[in-house]
């Protein structure tokens, strides 16, 4: 996964650690990085969830570490793909995405049958995260 940088070079996607307020480490954040000008940019698809997490931490958070892929479905898929060394293969990522959507839809049916509104809301959030993602190739 890649995109064109402002300097004209190609930015490649990497899973990075974002440090907030010098105290909080947020691991496995998908970030585009340019090796020429050193510019880094959080994937637009995960930015709302990252900024939401940071907002919840407040101005003076205690020292802590988060795994971003535990609160963002798209980041979780990218972590899974990187474990198989296929995180740059758009076909493999699309396959993983379709499998994850199908699994979430199956679980959604179970949650509905149990009338578990909290579980349904969580699954809807995860599906929403996957639906707003886009592949940059």
């Amino acid at each position: 996964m890649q995109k064109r940088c402002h300097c004209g070079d190609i930015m490649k996607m990497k899973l990075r650690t974002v440090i907030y307020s010098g105290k909080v480490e947020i691991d496995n954040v998908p970030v585009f990085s340019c090796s020429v000008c050193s510019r880094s940019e959080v994937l637009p698809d995960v930015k709302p969830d990252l900024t939401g997490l940071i907002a919840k931490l407040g101005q003076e958070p205690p020292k802590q570490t988060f795994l971003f892929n535990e609160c963002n479905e798209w980041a979780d898929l990218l972590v899974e793909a990187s474990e198989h060394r296929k995180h740059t293969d758009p076909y493999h990522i699309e396959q993983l995405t379709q499998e994850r959507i199908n699994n979430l839809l199956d679980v959604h049916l179970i949650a509905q049958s149990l009338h578990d509104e909290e579980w349904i809301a969580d699954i809807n959030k995860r599906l929403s995260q996957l639906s707003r993602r886009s592949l940059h190739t």
Side-chain angles (χ1 to χ4, degrees):
M1 296 178 56
Q2 57 193 24
K3 72 177 257 181
R4 178 99 26 218
C5 182
H6 295 297
C7 75
D9 200 47
I10 298 294
M11 298 176 88
K12 294 188 178 182
M13 193 282 300
K14 298 177 181 182
L15 294 169
R16 306 289 290 272
T17 298
V18 171
I19 310 263
Y20 170 65
S21 193
K23 298 178 185 174
V24 180
E25 291 183 6
I26 306 170
D27 296 329
N28 296 327
V29 177
V31 174
F32 284 118
S33 296
C34 179
S35 60
V36 172
C37 70
S38 300
R39 178 179 168 84
S40 292
E41 182 180 310
V42 174
L43 260 69
D45 308 320
V46 303
K47 199 169 192 173
D49 295 315
L50 180 61
T51 56
L53 174 60
I54 289 171
K56 287 179 189 174
L57 294 172
Q59 296 289 349
E60 296 293 327
K63 186 173 180 152
Q64 56 193 308
T65 301
F66 288 95
L67 293 174
F68 186 65
N69 57 299
E70 290 182 353
C71 62
N72 183 275
E73 205 66 24
W74 182 229
D76 197 48
L77 275 173
L78 294 174
V79 168
E80 184 178 335
S82 70
E83 288 172 357
H84 299 317
R85 305 236 183 256
K86 295 186 176 183
H87 64 281
T88 58
D89 179 2
Y91 176 76
H92 182 72
I93 292 172
E94 188 58 35
Q95 256 186 321
L96 286 174
T97 303
Q98 289 306 313
E99 288 172 14
R100 182 72 55 96
I101 289 170
N102 288 338
N103 289 340
L104 287 170
L105 289 172
D106 289 344
V107 172
H108 193 275
L109 289 173
I110 295 168
Q112 279 183 316
S113 70
L114 296 172
H115 305 290
D116 189 329
E117 296 303 320
E118 189 175 321
W119 195 11
I120 291 169
D122 179 61
I123 296 165
N124 286 338
K125 175 186 164 198
R126 293 170 182 270
L127 286 166
S128 173
Q129 290 170 342
L130 290 174
S131 70
R132 72 174 176 241
R133 84 1 177 193
S134 60
L135 291 176
H136 298 85
T137 56

